[in-house]
Amino acid sequence: MKTNNLTTLLVCLLLALSFSAFAQVNTPRGSQQATMSQRVGISDVSIIYSRPSVKGREIWGKLVPYGMNNLGFGTATAAPWRAGANENTTITFTHDAKLEGKAIKAGTYGLHVELKDADHATIILSHDANAWGSYFYDASKDALRADVKTKAVPHKELLTYEVNDIQPTFAIISLVWEKKEIPFKVEFDVTNIVLNEFRDKSIGNLGFNRQNWENMARFSLNNGGDLNEALGWINGAIAGNFYSQKTFNNLAIKGQILNKLGKTQKYAALMDEASTMANKNQLNTIGYQMLASKDYNRALKYFKLNVKNNPKDANSYDSLGECYKTMGDKKNAIKYLKKALSLNPPANVKANSEKLLKELDA
């Protein structure tokens, strides 16, 4: 009986120790955790960090000392700032990226900052993303170091990561705290990321949809992709596959690819075919494309066809008048622009017709 009581007591002690080691009450932090995330193209960059407050303290050069420092704890004798509070600040890239022009692989990294002086800093990405702060910083685990210039800004009480400039292929991310901003540029090779994802997934369900091939051919055309590859994709959308169907849209995409490849005669002939399938707006669009290509005869043919098909549409007359003006036929330009104005056109069409007539009068 005594043996059983002793065994029971030991089990209870072990359970108590286990709970004390692993079960902790979740209470609010002094520096709350936050996440910043920004999409660039189809890629994401995100930062998880804790947000200390200034609280009247002297921050730069004092609370955050300049240079690399022995923080008096952990294994690092020369540590940068942890770029936040509490545990490691981390930055994650969903695809290979560049930070300040330097290549970095997709993944999660510890984010640190070495403040050089009042105006300069070094962004440090570490392969060790799981350490506590920078107390265990090891320079041999650096994945990237990039020098940046800091900026003076209005007071920001809470440390914040924010995006103040977003473009199609990059974002400028800034650490802002007290009266200092530490910006750095993150960019992705958006075109190749998008195209590679499509190449990988096109052998699955994604590839069984004609519109996906059309969209990717158009994306490649407009974003510096391989034009011959794009031509193959749009040809497959037009004919040869169970999902293929010839439409105005895919003929127009193919025509633009041919034109960009310098195959102007094939482009023009294809636009003739597309014009037979075009609605009013589509016919107007390819008319302006021909006007831009200085293929005035085709432009005139398409605009005239639109007027014939839509005899009460002011915009069709406005476009025809603009075509004649571009060709140098002042008489017909005035005739059709005035006709457009007589049909009670919408404001944008009216403004264009009036502007063109003033130019002709001048």
Side-chain angles (χ1 to χ4, degrees):
M1 189 71 176
K2 289 181 179 178
T3 303
N4 288 341
N5 285 340
L6 182 60
T7 302
T8 302
L9 179 61
L10 288 171
V11 170
C12 289
L13 285 171
L14 287 171
L15 286 171
L17 288 171
S18 297
F19 281 116
S20 66
F22 299 107
Q24 298 182 16
V25 176
N26 189 17
T27 57
R29 299 179 175 203
S31 298
Q32 293 283 5
Q33 194 174 71
T35 300
M36 183 233 75
S37 184
Q38 178 61 56
R39 176 152 290 193
V40 180
I42 62 169
S43 305
D44 294 314
V45 53
S46 56
I47 297 174
I48 298 176
Y49 64 106
S50 293
R51 307 183 67 190
S53 299
V54 176
K55 295 181 179 178
R57 297 175 291 181
E58 186 178 348
I59 302 299
W60 309 110
K62 187 73 173 179
L63 183 66
V64 179
Y66 294 127
M68 305 287 279
N69 297 273
N70 189 335
L71 303 175
F73 178 79
T75 58
T77 57
W81 178 43
R82 56 183 148 178
N86 300 326
E87 63 266 63
N88 225 357
T89 298
T90 61
I91 185 168
T92 299
F93 309 95
T94 57
H95 296 87
D96 292 353
K98 287 183 179 180
L99 191 151
E100 287 294 311
K102 296 185 176 183
I104 187 73
K105 290 290 185 181
T108 299
Y109 301 88
L111 173 58
H112 307 281
V113 173
E114 179 190 355
L115 201 67
K116 297 285 192 179
D117 54 41
D119 302 311
H120 301 85
T122 298
I123 306 296
I124 302 171
L125 302 192
S126 171
H127 285 293
D128 187 355
N130 299 311
W132 184 271
S134 54
Y135 297 110
F136 301 89
Y137 170 75
D138 182 348
S140 70
K141 295 182 179 179
D142 284 357
L144 179 148
R145 295 176 69 93
D147 295 328
V148 297
K149 289 185 177 181
T150 66
K151 298 179 179 180
V153 293
H155 181 84
K156 175 83 75 171
E157 179 66 18
L158 277 171
L159 187 151
T160 303
Y161 283 89
E162 56 190 41
V163 177
N164 295 317
D165 187 5
I166 177 69
Q167 300 294 330
T169 60
F170 71 84
I172 304 297
I173 298 173
S174 294
L175 185 164
V176 186
W177 195 29
E178 201 253 358
K179 293 183 179 180
K180 190 179 294 294
E181 176 182 354
I182 306 174
F184 54 93
K185 181 180 181 181
V186 173
E187 58 188 315
F188 293 94
D189 185 356
V190 173
T191 295
N192 280 322
I193 289 171
V194 172
L195 293 177
N196 283 335
E197 180 167 289
F198 179 70
R199 292 175 188 126
D200 291 340
K201 294 182 178 180
S202 62
I203 58 175
N205 290 341
L206 201 69
F208 298 152
N209 185 306
R210 169 177 55 82
Q211 286 85 354
N212 287 335
W213 295 95
E214 293 171 356
N215 289 338
M216 292 315 301
R218 184 190 295 108
F219 178 85
S220 186
L221 165 69
N222 294 330
N223 292 278
D226 185 326
L227 291 177
N228 287 304
E229 180 181 48
L231 186 60
W233 289 346
I234 200 64
N235 281 336
I238 292 170
N241 298 297
F242 73 90
Y243 52 77
S244 301
Q245 181 184 355
K246 185 184 291 187
T247 68
F248 170 84
N249 284 331
N250 53 39
L251 288 179
I253 294 167
K254 180 176 179 178
Q256 291 173 58
I257 294 171
L258 290 172
N259 191 39
K260 206 164 187 178
L261 284 168
K263 300 178 180 180
T264 53
Q265 290 185 342
K266 288 184 177 180
Y267 161 58
L270 197 66
M271 289 301 94
D272 282 342
E273 182 179 1
S275 71
T276 65
M277 308 169 70
N279 61 32
K280 179 178 68 177
N281 292 333
Q282 292 167 340
L283 197 55
N284 198 59
T285 296
I286 62 172
Y288 277 106
Q289 287 178 8
M290 289 299 146
L291 208 56
S293 299
K294 298 185 178 181
D295 189 342
Y296 298 131
N297 289 333
R298 278 192 169 84
L300 190 61
K301 179 172 69 173
Y302 299 156
F303 289 131
K304 281 184 172 181
L305 180 59
N306 234 1
V307 166
K308 179 182 177 182
N309 293 341
N310 305 280
K312 295 183 179 180
D313 178 60
N315 190 52
S316 297
Y317 288 99
D318 174 79
S319 297
L320 180 57
E322 187 168 357
C323 180
Y324 275 120
K325 178 179 180 294
T326 304
M327 295 171 64
D329 188 338
K330 183 176 179 179
K331 179 180 177 181
N332 277 312
I334 292 172
K335 173 183 175 182
Y336 288 105
L337 290 170
K338 286 184 175 180
K339 177 64 176 179
L341 291 173
S342 73
L343 293 172
N344 191 28
N348 62 319
V349 176
K350 180 181 179 182
N352 190 61
S353 293
E354 288 176 343
K355 177 180 76 72
L356 295 173
L357 282 169
K358 284 181 181 178
E359 291 172 0
L360 287 164
D361 287 340

